[in-house]
Amino acid sequence: MCLKSTIIFIFLFSGLLFAQPKVVTLKVGSTVSYVGGFVDLNHVYISLNDLSQCLGLHTFELRSTGKLSVYSEYGSLLFTPDNNFIVVSTGGESKIYQLPIAVLSANGKLYMPATYAGEYFSRILQGNLTYDEEKAEFNFLNSNLIAPLVTGVQVEEKANGAVIEIGMQSLPKAYEAAMATAASGGQENMLYVTLMPATGNIQKLNSLSPTDVYSNVIAIQNPNSIQLSFRLKQSYVSKQIFVDSTTNSVVVALYSQADVKKIFSEEIKKKLDAEKKNWKLDVIVIDPGHGGKDPGAIGVMGTEEKNVTLAIAKDLKRDLNKKLPNVKVVMTRDDDEFVELDKRGEIANEAGGKLFISIHCNSMPHKPNPANGLETYFLRPGKTGEAIRIAAQENAAIKYENDYEKKYKTYDADNMILTTMAHGAYVKYSERLAQLIEDNVSSVAAVADNGVSQAGFYVLIGASMPAVLVETGYLSNVREERYLRSKTGREAIARGITNAIVKYKAEYEKNFTQN
Ligand SMILES: [Zn+2]
């Protein structure tokens, strides 16, 4: 039962003598209702039946098993008494989630800790249900109303006009500005800005103090947008609206003269400087392929790829530290340990990496095999048969991960293309680095330059930075296996990669300092 008052609840509450009765508030917009429950030593439990009813969800109780199914047009939740598992079905797919605490049955109802309920109910609601433990209160926010909040308005007068900066909590999807001037037949000089979706404190926005630029602001909240009308103190010849993602603001530039080029040169320069800092090649991530339970390819003489990649990576790190002392070098592993493929990208991102180099050794299915040489790859869904073969071989490392089927399912062909597009900004740099590695390694090490290729490597997907994968040589080729096992060979390869990175850094930073 969904209660409209807390008083009735105490009378309805019986049984569950071990626990204290408790009422939790549910706020949906301005509507308040109460969900019955109890408190045990550590948790506030709420009745799943009551919460469902208060949220307007349908329920179905399986009398024989005591299971409770809660459903909406978006999906369903299945709760089982004295059981930690919840089955969540959405979009024709069912997934099982494990709760740290079992669902309890009492009084003919099922109960679960309020703190976990929001997350699961949100999955079948068009919106977000959150629980505030301190207030013992659920809040439901319809996703139509989850819109960026306007936080304030700032104005700055410029030599040739003015800038109105509308601060937002996050950027709206769409924004537009229109102007009406007294000269063009309007009554007044007005600027209309529409932000969508957006929300805000209308009362506060309507009472913004006059500035040198406008005399007042009229704010209107529409279901999905906000319109701000500025009554301007003078007329402007043109306007421009854009967003500044560094400050989360929507900026309207008002030009009092046609000379629009000069006015923002200072701002643009400031932004470019900030951008430059962002692009500075200050962290390099080295990823020694495989490790731990995943040996990688096995050579003719039994050499394990994971040991070669780690040894080369260590040499590379040492060389880079020497040649580029101001650059931080991060390794995704520095001993014989198993690191999941997606974790490697995470490590790189968390370290603020500007370059990701995954080190591997190649191998043919049948050994020994004369195939030999160095190949460097950057991300792209597998194209040529050979690229597909190598990607399949390296991607096979996921088999050593738990739940790999579920985790990597999203990396199907279509998604791979999307991810590759997301990497678009880095492709140019990845390709250039790949080329430099081919040139520089083959010139100092005894491995042939087999050229640069593109393939879909999982390990490159997660790293949000230019990223390459180097197949340093073939363990299925006896001569190359011997070379990769030798100190001379490994050090030469590391030296070649270091030379490539030093050149790359110089080229790359030159690009960002020339303006
Ligand atoms: Zn490998």
Side-chain angles (χ1 to χ4, degrees):
M1 180 180 293
C2 181
L3 303 166
K4 294 297 166 196
S5 149
T6 59
I7 302 160
I8 317 164
F9 174 71
I10 307 304
F11 294 104
L12 290 171
F13 195 85
S14 65
L16 291 171
L17 291 175
F18 56 91
Q20 289 296 310
K22 174 83 185 173
V23 176
V24 169
T25 311
L26 169 68
K27 286 187 179 167
V28 179
S30 56
T31 312
V32 178
S33 50
Y34 302 95
V35 179
F38 62 85
V39 191
D40 80 345
L41 289 176
N42 304 307
H43 293 94
V44 172
Y45 282 79
I46 44 97
S47 154
L48 292 167
N49 311 63
D50 295 357
L51 178 62
S52 305
Q53 204 182 354
C54 288
L55 287 166
L57 298 168
H58 308 283
T59 55
F60 180 74
E61 289 160 49
L62 292 107
R63 290 279 171 214
S64 57
T65 55
K67 289 187 191 211
L68 175 72
S69 166
V70 178
Y71 54 99
S72 75
E73 55 197 291
Y74 302 105
S76 67
L77 306 172
L78 182 68
F79 300 96
T80 308
D82 304 316
N83 190 299
N84 291 55
F85 295 98
I86 298 180
V87 183
V88 180
S89 305
T90 49
E93 223 186 325
S94 292
K95 282 185 184 164
I96 297 169
Y97 294 89
Q98 187 173 11
L99 285 173
I101 296 169
V103 169
L104 294 181
S105 167
N107 258 355
K109 288 179 179 176
L110 294 191
Y111 294 84
M112 81 183 273
T115 178
Y116 304 120
E119 184 192 338
Y120 294 100
F121 277 82
S122 293
R123 290 169 199 259
I124 60 162
L125 293 166
Q126 193 194 8
N128 205 13
L129 182 70
T130 54
Y131 180 68
D132 183 327
E133 273 194 276
E134 246 166 67
K135 292 189 196 159
E137 182 180 291
F138 280 110
N139 266 288
F140 179 67
L141 195 57
N142 190 301
S143 57
N144 288 333
L145 298 175
I146 303 175
L149 185 75
V150 175
T151 53
V153 177
Q154 281 194 326
V155 164
E156 210 180 319
E157 274 199 289
K158 300 277 175 185
N160 283 348
V163 175
I164 297 179
E165 200 175 328
I166 303 163
M168 308 276 301
Q169 222 163 33
S170 59
L171 291 176
K173 286 198 182 81
Y175 46 88
E176 57 180 39
M179 242 183 356
T181 59
S184 67
Q187 293 277 312
E188 290 167 296
N189 297 309
M190 297 293 295
L191 168 72
Y192 306 101
V193 179
T194 307
L195 308 168
M196 195 173 79
T199 179
N201 183 336
I202 297 301
Q203 211 180 347
K204 200 174 126 200
L205 290 169
N206 272 322
S207 53
L208 285 174
S209 309
T211 66
D212 293 338
V213 177
Y214 57 78
S215 53
N216 73 327
V217 179
I218 304 146
I220 299 170
Q221 175 78 63
N222 295 312
N224 203 26
S225 65
I226 273 193
Q227 189 181 54
L228 301 173
S229 306
F230 298 88
R231 187 168 281 121
L232 301 173
K233 287 190 170 167
Q234 65 167 93
S235 68
Y236 294 89
V237 294
S238 66
K239 50 106 186 60
Q240 194 185 7
I241 186 164
F242 54 92
V243 292
D244 181 346
S245 56
T246 58
T247 57
N248 267 347
S249 49
V250 175
V251 182
V252 183
L254 298 166
Y255 303 104
S256 52
Q257 293 171 30
D259 178 18
V260 295
K261 268 188 190 161
K262 234 172 84 185
I263 185 168
F264 286 115
S265 61
E266 197 184 306
E267 267 83 344
I268 288 167
K269 192 176 172 301
K270 232 191 271 171
K271 280 192 118 180
L272 282 174
D273 286 347
E275 189 87 330
K276 252 184 247 165
K277 219 187 240 169
N278 216 6
W279 279 88
K280 196 164 174 251
L281 208 163
D282 50 1
V283 180
I284 294 172
V285 182
I286 306 174
D287 173 46
H290 312 277
K293 61 186 171 183
D294 168 19
I298 312 281
V300 184
M301 294 179 277
T303 311
E304 292 183 327
E305 179 184 353
K306 64 174 184 177
N307 297 326
V308 178
T309 60
L310 183 60
I312 294 176
K314 282 183 174 170
D315 288 344
L316 178 57
K317 181 179 180 177
R318 188 199 54 217
D319 286 1
L320 286 171
N321 283 338
K322 210 183 296 169
K323 288 239 174 136
L324 302 171
N326 296 323
V327 173
K328 191 174 154 198
V329 180
V330 174
M331 305 262 279
T332 57
R333 67 177 178 102
D334 41 29
D335 50 31
D336 185 17
E337 97 189 270
F338 177 73
V339 182
E340 301 186 338
L341 290 185
D342 55 348
K343 176 77 187 161
R344 294 170 190 251
E346 262 170 47
I347 293 171
N349 295 339
E350 271 164 29
K354 301 294 163 54
L355 203 58
F356 182 85
I357 301 162
S358 193
I359 310 274
H360 287 261
C361 305
N362 220 329
S363 175
M364 292 302 274
H366 301 289
K367 349 172 231 207
N369 193 299
N372 68 88
L374 174 87
E375 283 142 37
T376 309
Y377 291 84
F378 61 101
L379 188 67
R380 188 78 187 270
K383 257 187 165 176
T384 68
E386 184 57 9
I388 290 168
R389 180 190 68 74
I390 294 164
Q393 196 167 302
E394 299 298 2
N395 290 343
I398 64 169
K399 286 188 192 140
Y400 294 94
E401 301 181 19
N402 303 324
D403 293 341
Y404 73 88
E405 276 163 321
K406 209 160 70 188
K407 198 157 77 180
Y408 292 94
K409 200 176 147 202
T410 47
Y411 292 155
D412 59 16
D414 289 349
N415 265 303
M416 184 68 111
I417 291 165
L418 290 176
T419 319
T420 313
M421 281 169 70
H423 270 255
Y426 311 122
V427 165
K428 197 172 87 181
Y429 298 100
S430 304
E431 185 174 11
R432 180 62 187 145
L433 176 67
Q435 189 58 56
L436 285 168
I437 288 176
E438 282 293 317
D439 296 347
N440 285 277
V441 175
S442 61
S443 74
V444 298
V447 278
D449 170 0
N450 286 351
V452 169
S453 307
Q454 307 177 22
F457 290 106
Y458 288 144
V459 72
L460 298 184
I461 290 176
S464 299
M465 62 201 75
V468 299
L469 184 145
V470 191
E471 295 284 359
T472 51
Y474 282 77
L475 289 174
S476 49
N477 176 306
V478 179
R479 191 195 62 78
E480 272 189 3
E481 180 181 15
R482 228 174 250 135
Y483 189 67
L484 290 167
R485 279 170 76 115
S486 73
K487 193 166 181 281
T488 326
R490 290 190 322 239
E491 284 187 346
I493 289 167
R495 196 161 57 241
I497 299 175
T498 302
N499 293 343
I501 293 172
V502 170
K503 281 181 197 156
Y504 170 86
K505 184 174 186 287
E507 277 184 22
Y508 172 93
E509 286 182 347
K510 203 170 136 202
N511 270 337
F512 287 95
T513 47
Q514 281 177 345
N515 283 299

